[in-house]
Amino acid sequence: MTIDDMGSDPLVLKGVEKQYGGLRPLRVRELRIPAGRATMLVGLNRPAAEVLVDLITGAALPDAGEVVSLGRLTQNIVNSDEWLSFVERFGIVSDRIVLLEAMTVAQNLAIAFDLEIDPVPPNVRARVAVLAAEVGIDTLLLETRVADGPPLLRSRVHLARALAFDPAIIVLEHPTAHLSSDETTEYAALVKGICEARRLTTVGLVMDEKFAKATGG
């Protein structure tokens, strides 16, 4: 596959195979993710989803086949500096992204912009307020410790962190695993609204068909 083969799709996997310790390798004959829309892939368990995230972000290379992400063959990313610049274009929503449990919601959002978070500088606080509003976090909750927050609040924090640097692609890895049915409906509406407003290319790796359908993916 050449770059010309991918057309306008920001993410293309073709003939991909990757061993990861499961009963069988992850195999993708062909997958094309269209730009500016939500695409939900239903049925990947957590280990397989993690492997797929690593493949599309270039953190891992396939044993066979090719991955083209944002116009680049991931196998052509040759050093760590180049990869760090590349991976910043992805926003990852995942429980694997560690939150600072003892810190407040505001501090967890602020750390995306500045390492000085105690206290949060005024200029960073303004950016935090905008980001929090976008994902539906009430200003009264900004001083809540993340450890004390309910599951839906934590999910909003994960989403906000993923959006902080205006990613080209946002990837949701089992985002509703800890949410109730009603919370899933609310979260899906939020994701759909943000995806449409930002015209984001959104990829969900989920086991939750309700969430997949509600996002329009």
Side-chain angles (χ1 to χ4, degrees), residues 89-170:
R89 302 180 67 191
F90 294 85
I92 310 296
V93 178
S94 171
D95 287 344
R96 294 189 291 127
I97 307 298
V98 175
L99 299 180
L100 304 175
E101 298 288 337
M103 299 294 184
T104 66
V105 170
Q107 288 172 312
N108 272 271
L109 299 186
I111 203 169
F113 307 116
D114 197 315
L115 294 179
E116 296 293 333
I117 59 172
D118 191 16
V120 177
N123 63 316
V124 175
R125 172 72 68 166
R127 298 177 73 180
V128 164
V130 172
L131 193 57
E134 184 176 14
V135 300
I137 297 176
D138 191 283
T139 54
L140 296 176
L141 295 175
L142 288 177
E143 299 311 314
T144 300
R145 284 198 328 151
V146 164
D148 300 329
L152 184 55
L153 177 60
R154 296 173 65 90
S155 294
R156 292 180 192 273
V157 173
H158 276 296
L159 181 58
R161 288 272 294 270
L163 293 169
F165 294 114
D166 297 320
I169 296 178
I170 188 166

Side-chain angles (χ1 to χ4, degrees), residues 11-112:
L11 183 60
V12 178
L13 289 78
K14 195 166 186 179
V16 166
E17 184 170 312
K18 181 68 177 179
Q19 295 282 352
Y20 66 99
L23 293 176
R24 58 185 66 84
L26 176 68
R27 293 190 179 99
V28 182
R29 180 176 297 173
E30 183 169 357
L31 173 64
R32 292 174 178 267
I33 302 296
R37 293 172 51 191
T39 300
M40 298 289 141
L41 307 178
V42 181
L44 289 173
N45 62 21
R46 284 183 177 271
E50 181 176 343
V51 170
L52 187 54
V53 171
D54 288 346
L55 288 171
I56 66 179
T57 60
L61 297 178
D63 300 325
E66 293 178 325
V67 179
V68 177
S69 288
L70 299 172
R72 299 196 62 178
L73 278 167
T74 56
Q75 68 192 50
N76 291 342
I77 300 172
V78 296
N79 58 55
S80 58
D81 288 341
E82 195 175 346
W83 179 75
L84 287 171
S85 177
F86 174 74
V87 80
E88 284 182 352
R89 302 180 67 191
F90 294 85
I92 310 296
V93 178
S94 171
D95 287 344
R96 294 189 291 127
I97 307 298
V98 175
L99 299 180
L100 304 175
E101 298 288 337
M103 299 294 184
T104 66
V105 170
Q107 288 172 312
N108 272 271
L109 299 186
I111 203 169

Side-chain angles (χ1 to χ4, degrees), residues 41-46 174-176 205-210 212:
L41 307 178
V42 181
L44 289 173
N45 62 21
R46 284 183 177 271
H174 291 277
T176 62
L205 311 175
V206 304
M207 297 292 284
D208 187 340
E209 291 191 26
K210 177 181 179 179

